[in-house]
Amino acid sequence: MTEAQQSALRAQLLEEKRRLEERLAGNDHFGMARGMNDSIGELSGYDNHPADIGTELYEREKDLALNEAAEHQLEEIELALLRMEEGTYGRCVVCGKPIPYERLEAVPATVYCKEHQPGGHVSRRRPVEEQVIHPPFGEHFNDGDEERTAYDAEDAWQEVEQYGTSNPPDYFREGKNYNELTIDHDEKRGYIDDFEGFTITDAHGNTEAITDITHNEAYDRAEASREKRRKK
């Protein structure tokens, strides 16, 4: 790369940096400098139903994404200018080969050649809670692993869901009982066979000498099944 070419790219980077800085300053970083409640004139963001401020929340999320993209682009430009000062500008950080000038003209802040360009940008602003979650984030639903029967995030959600969600009853077109509108509402928990669900064993866990019977849903299903077989 000649000095004239690098000088032209520097001017291009500085112009883009100026444009981004003016844009972020002019719109208060896409409104992120103000709280959402202040921007929409609400005293509280907690309404009776999430859809009450659904549009405002969507716009807020969009502004957040635009602001993050602009700040990330500005950071890449500043790093490119720093590489120019250090004399490392224009080389791929993966293979070390010079990046074609035509590519630098199109994307002057790039640090990759065409062959080693990674996939789309993923947000780096993750919730801090993910740093302490165990197992790793995204591995809380173990239905696909038949060897594991641990109480996971899905079980926790089902426990909470039975007390109601923001979905109205008519959201479930086929629902007949409000207590049966949750996912897997009839799932067996803590036992496999219905017999285990309503029998109370002795102190040693023996079922040979059953001491009592609990008349719960498992018992009702077992009775219904027995009555059905009797009628046949």
Side-chain angles (χ1 to χ4, degrees):
M1 183 189 309
T2 66
E3 292 186 5
Q5 289 176 328
Q6 183 164 314
S7 178
L9 292 173
R10 183 193 299 273
Q12 187 176 345
L13 287 168
L14 289 173
E15 174 61 23
E16 184 65 14
K17 179 182 177 181
R18 182 196 62 79
R19 185 186 67 81
L20 285 171
E21 289 176 339
E22 288 183 354
R23 185 180 184 186
L24 289 172
N27 58 22
D28 290 330
H29 285 252
F30 290 89
M32 292 297 106
R34 300 175 59 193
M36 188 176 74
N37 293 339
D38 294 335
S39 64
I40 62 178
E42 292 283 351
L43 296 177
S44 173
Y46 295 92
D47 288 281
N48 292 328
H49 194 281
D52 289 344
I53 56 171
T55 302
E56 292 82 356
L57 182 60
Y58 164 75
E59 292 295 333
R60 187 69 169 182
E61 292 172 342
K62 184 174 67 176
D63 290 339
L64 181 63
L66 291 172
N67 180 67
E68 181 179 349
E71 289 182 347
H72 180 67
Q73 186 177 0
L74 184 59
E75 180 183 358
E76 288 185 332
I77 291 174
E78 291 174 344
L79 290 174
L81 292 171
L82 180 61
R83 290 194 301 275
M84 283 186 176
E85 297 295 331
E86 296 176 343
T88 59
Y89 178 80
R91 288 191 174 274
C92 177
V93 296
V94 177
C95 63
K97 296 179 180 180
I99 301 174
Y101 180 72
E102 292 75 15
R103 176 171 172 78
L104 291 173
E105 276 189 309
V107 193
T110 186
V111 293
Y112 301 101
C113 62
K114 181 179 179 181
E115 289 73 17
H116 295 103
Q117 175 66 36
H121 170 63
V122 178
S123 175
R124 296 170 294 172
R125 296 183 178 180
R126 306 301 306 169
V128 295
E129 291 81 3
E130 292 182 8
Q131 301 175 12
V132 296
I133 292 178
H134 183 79
F137 182 72
E139 297 182 7
H140 296 282
F141 292 80
N142 302 318
D143 284 351
D145 187 353
E146 307 203 352
E147 298 297 325
R148 300 178 62 181
T149 58
Y151 188 91
D152 61 9
E154 182 179 13
D155 296 313
W157 165 248
Q158 290 171 354
E159 293 286 354
V160 176
E161 186 187 25
Q162 63 181 321
Y163 294 99
T165 67
S166 60
N167 292 325
D170 58 357
Y171 177 82
F172 304 88
R173 299 298 182 185
E174 305 300 326
K176 298 180 181 179
N177 186 329
Y178 191 80
N179 294 323
E180 298 178 356
L181 300 183
T182 58
I183 299 175
D184 296 332
H185 64 274
D186 57 347
E187 180 182 6
K188 300 172 182 178
R189 304 184 185 184
Y191 61 93
I192 298 177
D193 296 324
D194 279 339
F195 181 74
E196 298 175 290
F198 61 80
T199 58
I200 300 177
T201 64
D202 59 20
H204 302 287
N206 297 320
T207 57
E208 289 79 6
I210 298 174
T211 60
D212 201 355
I213 291 178
T214 301
H215 291 259
N216 56 13
E217 294 180 356
Y219 175 82
D220 293 339
R221 285 196 298 268
E223 283 292 294
S225 178
R226 186 176 68 173
E227 181 66 19
K228 185 176 181 180
R229 289 197 302 270
R230 187 186 64 80
K231 290 182 178 181
K232 288 183 178 180

